[in-house]
Amino acid sequence: MDMFMDKLAQKFTAQEMIKANTAADAEELKKMRNRVAEYNECLDRLQTLLEENGATKDGGDLMAKVDASLHKECVKVYRNMQAVVVEESGKIQQLEEEVSKNTAKMLKKTNTMLGLAIAAFSMSVVSFVVAMYIVLQLFGIKLF
């Protein structure tokens, strides 16, 4: 029975690990989104400054370069996040498979224990019936 409880505790531990990984991924995604928001704010400030200073054609070129750089960074962030999601989903899948295997093992052991419990119960019922038969015979009561 202790093994069953240990396995059950391990199952919850695996589920907690999955939850923790998911929470970490969500936190990382939140940080990335905040970083992108900061980039957008910087871009907006830069564009405002350029407009205030009467941006010339060179300023427009500068803005195009900044846009291209920002796009490049956004693509990097997106690819990094995509890689993290793929990596973590693989880990989650492995944990789910492990939990599934452990659950199957526990079910097999539980079925074995159930069979043994039924056999023990059956034997105790038979012993009780035999004991009652012997007691009834001692009092002179015959059933058969």
Side-chain angles (χ1 to χ4, degrees):
M1 190 66 171
D2 288 335
M3 290 179 66
F4 176 74
M5 294 304 289
D6 289 341
K7 294 293 182 177
L8 191 59
Q10 287 176 356
K11 177 182 176 187
F12 288 126
T13 303
Q15 289 175 345
E16 290 171 0
M17 287 172 53
I18 291 170
K19 288 179 184 176
N21 285 339
T22 304
D25 289 343
E27 184 64 29
E28 185 69 24
L29 181 61
K30 185 178 177 182
K31 287 179 183 177
M32 294 287 186
R33 285 183 179 163
N34 288 338
R35 193 178 304 162
V36 169
E38 288 175 13
Y39 289 151
N40 285 335
E41 288 175 16
C42 288
L43 242 168
D44 289 341
R45 284 191 304 228
L46 181 61
Q47 187 169 5
T48 303
L49 287 173
L50 286 173
E51 288 172 359
E52 287 175 1
N53 292 329
T56 62
K57 185 175 186 226
D58 293 336
D61 289 341
L62 177 62
M63 195 62 176
K65 288 178 183 178
V66 169
D67 280 342
S69 294
L70 180 65
H71 176 72
K72 221 158 119 178
E73 288 301 315
C74 288
V75 168
K76 285 181 187 177
V77 168
Y78 174 78
R79 287 184 181 156
N80 287 341
M81 287 305 300
Q82 192 175 29
V84 167
V85 168
V86 167
E87 181 181 330
E88 292 303 317
S89 67
K91 288 179 184 177
I92 290 171
Q93 190 175 24
Q94 283 178 329
L95 288 173
E96 286 175 347
E97 289 172 2
E98 185 179 324
V99 167
S100 178
K101 288 177 185 176
N102 288 339
T103 303
K105 287 179 184 177
M106 285 190 299
L107 183 61
K108 186 176 180 182
K109 289 179 182 179
T110 303
N111 287 340
T112 302
M113 293 299 288
L114 180 63
L116 290 173
I118 290 171
F121 177 73
S122 300
M123 292 301 290
S124 59
V125 168
V126 168
S127 295
F128 177 76
V129 170
V130 169
M132 292 307 296
Y133 180 74
I134 291 171
V135 169
L136 289 175
Q137 281 187 345
L138 287 175
F139 287 114
I141 301 172
K142 293 189 177 189
L143 296 175
F144 303 102

